[in-house]
Amino acid sequence: MFKLVSLALTLVALASAQDSTTSWQTGATQGPTPSTPPPTPGGSNVDRECGGDLTNLWLDVVVVVDNSKGMTNEGITEIAANIVTVFGNGTRIGNQYSDPRSTRLGLVTYNGRSTIVADLNLLQSIDDLYQSVFSTLNQVSNSDDSFLAKGIGAAENVLQSGRTNGVRSNYKRLVVVYASAYKGEGELDPIPVADRLKSSGVVVSTVAFDQDGDEALLAGLTNIASPNYAFTSKDLNLVGELQGAALQTNCFCPNLWTQYKSNFDDENSYKYGVCIRPATISSSWTAAKFACQNLAKNGFLAAEYDGQKHNFLFRVAQNNTAFQAPYIYHIGLSYVNGGWNWQQPAGYPLKPMSGYSKWNPSYPKSFTSNIGVVEQQFSSDLTVGWQNINAYSVAEYYMCEVASCDTDKYC
Ligand SMILES: *[C@@H]1O[C@H](CO)[C@@H](O)[C@H](O)[C@H]1NC(C)=O
Ligand SMILES: *[C@@H]1O[C@H](CO)[C@@H](O)[C@H](O)[C@H]1NC(C)=O
């Protein structure tokens, strides 16, 4: 292990020492700070972020590496160092751990044809990963052909056969492609297979091995990658970008729950570690509070810490046909212990309301018994605001919230 690690570190160091002379950077000098797209302005960012602990990453990953001549020996060696740096810092490789949060990693190379170096079950430790990556990616093949379709096609096979009999069907899947060329028409067109993967929920990230700013390569790979996940070897923080892609892929909501994003209408906007579910059975505020706690472990009546979250919940209601104007639903705000407080998972202290508020005109009213808060459409213009109501007698729909599945939470 130490031998391999120091070999890798030497290679990483070598690669960074050469940063000034080559276009390729492993990003190791920048440190592997996972980078995710910044939240859209408007959110004060107090909602839970997706888990960011690479030690607890739980994914099925296939890494696809172009080893045609165009990649060059130097380039492929740097890719090897990049791969082990991204997935080799504490991530449990394989599936033989008592903690289910582990990452299986398959490896495919391609040129005119593809080779499956490791299926999803071969690599069972970080040592295996180093061994396999550095013994395979030490020199390019003698082929000039670089057919991306072959590489991604093999990745699809690896993912399929690694899942027989429903093995790890709850794990998200990520394909990372390192390519030096974009070619292919007809049978060699990589788009159909990439589209098939993405529409079945696989996230695809690409790294263009970009020697001289080949724009056709970049443009081509952008069509292959999932939105925001087309990177280049020139990116200063490539390690962080790939780790960020892995962490965001690992962050998702169970069925029937909608993931909180910076923009409801943009599926690819920044994802928070928060899941929302509208409950369309009328209940009192107090009943809704307990119902959310029972709907999911650690569930609670949803919080609105800022305008971005407020708007998101409203869009969730608007997009649900069970709701009709005027829109009204309970949220997790109530008057307790002498102040307005937000619900939290059962057992956690309530969070005092601070900063943001969205009371309708003339609210809050005297709150002797009116201690629960609904979101209510106040006027004919399509906005909603807060109104305090009797927490035992006013029955409305409600919004529940729970933490997402991610590196902090296996589900
Ligand atoms: C590995 O992870 C630790 C803790 O998460 C971090 O402090 C360290 O810089 C990382 N090292 C490398 C080489 O990625
Ligand atoms: C809006 O509702 C439709 C129909 O239920 C659903 O398919 C779609 O995913 C929803 N949109 C969002 C952004 O959740």
Side-chain angles (χ1 to χ4, degrees), residues 76-371:
I76 205 161
T77 305
E78 288 164 358
I79 286 175
N82 183 256
I83 295 168
V84 298
T85 309
V86 170
F87 294 102
N89 190 7
T91 299
R92 285 180 282 270
I93 301 295
N95 56 355
Q96 293 165 11
Y97 302 88
S98 51
D99 192 321
R101 291 171 299 176
S102 67
T103 293
R104 292 192 301 176
L105 194 143
L107 182 61
V108 167
T109 59
Y110 71 94
N111 41 68
R113 46 198 203 86
S114 63
T115 306
I116 295 175
V117 178
D119 65 18
L120 284 175
N121 294 314
L122 185 68
L123 308 182
Q124 288 296 340
S125 68
I126 185 74
D127 280 354
D128 288 356
L129 175 66
Y130 270 83
Q131 193 99 50
S132 176
V133 164
F134 282 107
S135 64
T136 310
L137 306 179
N138 53 8
Q139 58 178 14
V140 292
S141 65
N142 55 16
S143 169
D144 283 315
D145 289 333
S146 169
F147 297 140
L148 188 51
K150 302 270 184 185
I152 318 186
E156 187 181 37
N157 291 338
V158 168
L159 285 173
Q160 265 161 13
S161 54
R163 290 274 174 125
T164 15
N165 302 325
V167 173
R168 285 168 67 109
S169 56
N170 57 323
Y171 289 63
K172 292 287 167 188
R173 292 165 295 172
L174 172 67
V175 170
V176 182
V177 182
Y178 295 83
S180 72
Y182 186 85
K183 278 184 217 125
E185 279 159 6
E187 265 183 30
L188 293 171
D189 183 353
I191 300 239
V193 50
D195 285 349
R196 204 158 61 224
L197 280 174
K198 287 183 281 186
S199 64
S200 67
V202 177
V203 174
V204 179
S205 180
T206 57
V207 179
F209 182 74
D210 186 12
Q211 285 141 320
D212 39 25
D214 180 348
E215 282 176 16
L217 169 62
L218 270 180
L221 290 179
T222 302
N223 291 327
I224 298 298
S226 303
N228 305 324
Y229 290 155
F231 306 122
T232 86
S233 57
K234 283 184 177 162
D235 295 353
L236 291 182
N237 187 21
L238 180 60
V239 167
E241 286 171 332
L242 289 170
Q243 290 176 337
L247 290 167
Q248 284 260 302
T249 303
N250 201 162
C251 182
F252 63 97
C253 291
N255 283 343
L256 304 177
W257 294 79
T258 302
Q259 188 151 20
Y260 173 40
K261 299 180 213 71
S262 58
N263 181 349
F264 180 86
D265 297 301
D266 178 1
E267 201 191 332
N268 304 304
S269 60
Y270 182 83
K271 291 195 285 189
Y272 289 84
V274 169
C275 307
I276 301 294
R277 184 166 162 188
T280 51
I281 297 177
S282 295
S283 306
S284 71
W285 187 93
T286 308
K289 174 183 117 169
F290 287 112
C292 285
Q293 290 173 358
N294 282 347
L295 195 57
K297 187 166 184 279
N298 291 324
F300 56 99
L301 202 49
E304 286 188 356
Y305 302 127
D306 58 27
Q308 180 181 282
K309 182 81 170 293
H310 170 86
N311 293 339
F312 189 88
L313 293 186
F314 187 36
R315 296 289 293 114
V316 169
Q318 286 176 300
N319 195 47
N320 187 311
T321 49
F323 285 85
Q324 280 165 2
Y327 289 89
I328 309 176
Y329 45 92
H330 296 298
I331 55 170
L333 187 62
S334 64
Y335 193 83
V336 270
N337 304 331
W340 293 101
N341 284 279
W342 291 110
Q343 287 291 303
Q344 296 295 299
Y348 288 76
L350 302 181
K351 213 179 236 186
M353 183 192 118
S354 77
Y356 179 76
S357 71
K358 187 69 182 172
W359 295 108
N360 276 337
S362 83
Y363 284 89
K365 299 206 150 130
S366 155
F367 34 75
T368 349
S369 58
N370 296 337
I371 62 155

